[in-house]
Structures are given as structure tokens and as C-alpha cells.
Amino acid sequence: DFPPWLKIVCTVRSAMVDITRNLPFHQICLDNTDLDERLNKDLSDYISSRVNSSSHISTNIWHKKMSDTAMMEKLNNFLIIKAKGCFLYVKLILDFIERGTLNIKSSSFKSLPQTLSEIYHLAFN
């Protein structure tokens, strides 16, 4: 038996969560946005904070037929869906936009990397 003051934190990749089923732990899932809408809210708050604190991000995102607010809202929704709870994906995309590596001129966001793998290819090639 463990002493009552001892707290154990165990992390497991989502694909291997079955190995923890028999352990007497309270489980918290940090990457299933379908189960916990707070993850999407946190991502949205992070995106808004980054956009509001950097004029470079908003300058590198524009669309001739859409208002800045509408474009930012569409980008916010796009990033939340693509990120699937992964803050690193959102952070790196916003970093590229802020530096001018990515300029968004289309509301379809086809020019954006769709996965972390694509982000790494962009960064290191």
C-alpha cells in the first residue's frame, strides 16, 4: 500500500490506454475533444490571446471578401478542428504565421500544414 500523501501521475499514449484499465487510477483524458469541450475552449483562448498580442499574425491573415473578425473566427475554428487538442500544432502554425513563413489569403486554409508531420517538413526542409 502506498502512503495517502503520495500522488502518482501516469501518462499513456491514447493508443495504449488499455494497459491502464486495471489500475486503480482516476483517469483524465487530455486529447479527446469529443469528451471534454474544455480542451477546445482552452485552444480557442490560446489562439485569441496570440492573435490579440501580435499584430503580425493579423497582418499575415487577410481575405479581400471577408472581414478581419470573420477571417479570425474561421481560422480559430479551423485550427481547433485540425489540432484535435494538440497545442503544439496550434503554437507552431501561429509561430509560422507571425514570422511571415505562412501568409493566409484564402479562407479555405489549403496552404496550412494539416498535421504536425507537415509542420516539421516545412520547418526543416
Side-chain angles (χ1 to χ4, degrees):
D1 286 326
F2 292 112
W5 53 265
L6 180 64
K7 304 293 181 197
I8 297 175
V9 176
C10 172
T11 62
V12 178
R13 293 184 185 268
S14 298
M16 302 184 73
V17 75
D18 291 336
I19 63 174
T20 63
R21 296 261 186 247
N22 295 329
L23 298 174
F25 296 144
H26 175 73
Q27 294 183 5
I28 300 171
C29 182
L30 297 177
D31 62 354
N32 191 340
T33 56
D34 294 333
L35 292 178
D36 194 345
E37 186 59 35
R38 293 176 299 178
L39 298 170
N40 289 338
K41 171 83 170 83
D42 290 344
L43 279 169
S44 180
D45 290 347
Y46 175 73
I47 294 165
S48 296
S49 171
R50 286 286 306 271
V51 168
N52 292 332
S53 66
S54 171
S55 61
H56 295 291
I57 292 176
S58 53
T59 335
N60 290 327
I61 300 171
W62 63 275
H63 190 274
K64 58 185 171 191
K65 296 180 182 176
M66 240 185 213
S67 71
D68 288 346
T69 307
M71 190 68 169
M72 289 301 170
E73 186 175 328
K74 194 163 182 173
L75 176 67
N76 189 331
N77 293 336
F78 174 85
L79 289 176
I80 288 170
I81 290 167
K82 285 296 179 185
K84 298 178 191 158
C86 179
F87 273 82
L88 181 60
Y89 174 84
V90 173
K91 181 208 179 300
L92 293 174
I93 292 288
L94 292 175
D95 287 350
F96 283 142
I97 294 170
E98 187 172 35
R99 281 183 282 193
T101 306
L102 291 172
N103 287 310
I104 301 173
K105 297 177 179 137
S106 165
S107 62
S108 68
F109 307 112
K110 289 179 183 175
S111 64
L112 290 181
Q114 303 293 303
T115 64
L116 273 176
S117 179
E118 290 180 17
I119 290 173
Y120 294 141
H121 281 287
L122 179 64
F124 298 114
N125 288 331

